[in-house]
Amino acid sequence: MKVCAVILAAGSGRRMNVGRNKVLLKLEDQSALMRCLQTFASSGLFAEIVVACRPEDRAVIEQKVADHLPDAAIRFCDGGSERQYSVREALRLVPEDVEIISVHDAARCFVTVPVIERSVRMAEEFGSGVAAVPMTDTVKRVENGIVESTLSRDGLVRVQTPQSFRAELLRKAHAQAEEDGFLATDDAALVERLGCPVHVSEGAPDNIKLTVRQDLREGARILRGRSGGMRVGTGFDVHPFGEGRPLILGGVDFGCDRGLIGHSDADVLVHAVMDALLGAAGLPDIGVLFPDTNERYHGASSLLLLAEVGSCLRTRGFRIVNIDCTLILEEPRIRPHAEEMQQNVAAALGIAASAVSIKATTAERLGALGRREGAACQAVCLLAGGGSGA
Ligand code: CTP
Ligand code: MG
């Protein structure tokens, strides 16, 4: 589906009170807005990104985008006096053939690709996907400093952005709100008014909105947690060739009748990637996780196992920075299929395809691999986080 993002940067940051629009404040090396745009652009999910900004901020923002994201399809519009009006202005720039629109506050600059992807996928399937996290605090209604009642925490969530919707649903919700003079602080509220179900997708505790000054300190902590604690992992796998087996590498079926022998689909590339990821996370290897004594894994698609590894890392708070693989085999030629393999691996892990690199080399006819008796793969990966950033 054609998906477009709307990034809202047209506020003034009154509550932050730093004398300028808070989304232009630098956190470490980047402004909040540029951090958001980088994450959205690198996700590979969006055909186009529309940024709503104030006319007085526009020249600075356009220059930064030209310098740092020259290849991204990013357009700009003037925002409105309220957040909702900024969304409305941006919707005018979203092309008619876009099917899913993801609205995101630039002030939520610690958003990660998995959070964005879950919101978009939910909207593709159900029409809406609003990032949310469970309530952990007890919530009370207070009047004049006195507790009136305690709300049950059951069924309460804190909503975030991105909030993704089928385009026609979001446009209709905004048109209706405009007609009724209804104003809300998020887009889901406008869709709820139409009586349409709003689905929630898994957000992240770190996906905070920079609102008051204290959030800058929390933001610095989040970034420290991400840049520190990098972990590297390596994986290696080898499988022999055999007649009458399909050859599957990186989830791509090469259509040969001489493929790799193994308990699962013997996808040597995906196996090496899984071991690199598990190694980096300090977890047991795939032999322990997916033993070949378990019938469930007989003939299993390794991409499904890879997705399991991905979610295992996510729940431990790891973010995959990048993966680099080298296949070692005499034939067939890999390069024509490398992009598809790269996309398969990235999709299984919910990361950007640009974070996965796949290349191949021959063994120069040396040894068993050189005699075409088998194929091997080595993989290296880098993980960030561990305890945050999911
Ligand atoms: N926003 C916008 N247009 C507006 C108001 C807000 O695009 N007229 C954007 C902000 O830039 C921010 C997001 O909507 O990324 C969420 O709004 P909020 O946190 O309220 O930001 P501000 O309105 O800038 O802050 P404040 O309310 O404290 O002035
Ligand atoms: Mg505001």
Side-chain angles (χ1 to χ4, degrees):
M1 284 193 188
K2 189 166 178 187
V3 188
C4 182
V6 164
I7 307 288
L8 301 171
S12 56
R14 199 178 29 80
R15 286 169 288 176
M16 182 71 77
N17 193 22
V18 284
R20 63 189 301 213
N21 184 354
K22 63 188 178 186
V23 302
L24 301 181
L25 276 184
K26 247 188 175 178
L27 298 130
E28 287 189 356
D29 55 330
Q30 267 179 326
S31 70
L33 173 60
M34 284 308 291
R35 189 174 293 282
C36 269
L37 290 175
Q38 200 104 53
T39 308
F40 271 74
S42 73
S43 75
L45 292 165
F46 301 97
E48 208 167 300
I49 299 174
V50 178
V51 179
C53 54
R54 299 189 303 178
E56 60 265 45
D57 295 332
R58 183 142 165 188
V60 174
I61 296 172
E62 280 191 347
Q63 189 58 52
K64 283 272 180 236
V65 167
D67 290 344
H68 298 284
L69 290 168
D71 302 326
I74 299 180
R75 296 210 268 171
F76 302 88
C77 72
D78 288 345
S81 57
E82 298 288 343
R83 180 192 182 280
Q84 186 173 315
Y85 303 151
S86 295
V87 179
R88 193 176 67 194
E89 291 308 312
L91 290 181
R92 292 190 218 282
L93 274 196
V94 175
E96 281 303 319
D97 62 342
V98 165
E99 291 155 280
I100 301 286
I101 302 173
S102 231
V103 182
H104 184 68
D105 293 338
R108 286 193 195 272
C109 60
F110 308 110
V111 68
T112 58
V113 172
V115 168
I116 300 169
E117 178 145 29
R118 289 196 285 267
S119 162
V120 169
R121 298 287 174 243
M122 189 72 90
E124 283 177 341
E125 194 168 344
F126 300 109
S128 51
V130 171
V133 287
M135 283 293 296
T136 47
D137 295 328
T138 299
V139 188
K140 296 186 191 291
R141 189 183 298 284
V142 174
E143 191 144 345
N144 299 324
I146 294 171
V147 173
E148 268 202 336
S149 60
T150 301
L151 304 179
S152 162
R153 211 159 49 194
D154 291 349
L156 285 185
V157 294
R158 290 188 292 128
V159 296
Q160 309 179 326
T161 64
Q163 300 195 347
S164 309
F165 303 93
R166 287 214 181 99
E168 76 269 14
L169 180 61
L170 185 63
R171 289 188 200 276
K172 192 169 162 206
H174 272 268
Q176 192 64 50
E178 186 175 359
E179 198 178 313
D180 302 341
F182 180 82
L183 205 56
T185 51
D186 77 342
D187 298 275
L190 309 187
V191 175
E192 288 157 43
R193 288 183 79 237
L194 297 179
C196 295
V198 172
H199 292 257
V200 293
S201 61
E202 187 190 340
D206 276 357
N207 184 20
I208 62 165
K209 181 160 74 70
L210 297 175
T211 306
V212 293
R213 285 216 189 173
Q214 211 174 313
D215 297 328
L216 296 176
R217 212 176 310 148
E218 176 64 6
R221 190 198 60 77
I222 292 168
L223 291 180
R224 263 199 315 278
R226 289 185 187 180
S227 56
M230 290 284 193
R231 294 179 66 112
V232 70
T234 77
F236 179 79
D237 196 23
V238 58
H239 283 272
F241 275 116
E243 299 300 329
R245 286 276 301 179
L247 177 64
I248 294 170
L249 297 171
V252 173
D253 190 339
F254 278 67
C256 325
D257 52 9
R258 190 167 179 268
L260 296 172
I261 300 170
H263 183 67
S264 64
D265 60 3
D267 191 327
V268 70
L269 181 134
V270 173
H271 293 182
V273 169
M274 287 194 283
D275 266 351
L277 293 169
L278 292 166
L283 293 168
D285 68 13
I286 48 172
V288 177
L289 221 57
F290 310 119
D292 56 14
T293 46
N294 187 332
E295 262 320 286
R296 195 185 141 218
Y297 304 121
H298 182 75
S301 161
S302 296
L303 283 178
L304 294 178
L305 306 183
L306 179 63
E308 272 191 49
V309 169
S311 88
C312 186
L313 297 191
R314 251 193 323 275
T315 55
R316 284 168 174 75
F318 287 108
R319 181 174 62 86
I320 299 167
V321 179
N322 77 310
I323 296 170
D324 185 17
C325 323
T326 306
L327 276 160
I328 307 153
L329 76 179
E330 296 298 308
E331 59 183 6
R333 272 171 51 74
I334 298 302
R335 192 164 313 143
H337 305 278
E339 197 179 324
E340 195 184 344
M341 292 158 73
Q342 192 184 349
Q343 273 163 4
N344 287 345
V345 169
L349 291 168
I351 60 174
S354 59
V356 181
S357 132
I358 291 174
K359 55 204 182 311
T361 182
T362 68
E364 295 289 347
R365 300 189 190 160
L366 294 171
L369 298 177
R371 290 191 299 272
R372 299 171 162 78
E373 289 171 21
C377 184
Q378 65 183 33
V380 176
C381 75
L382 193 65
L383 299 185
S388 68

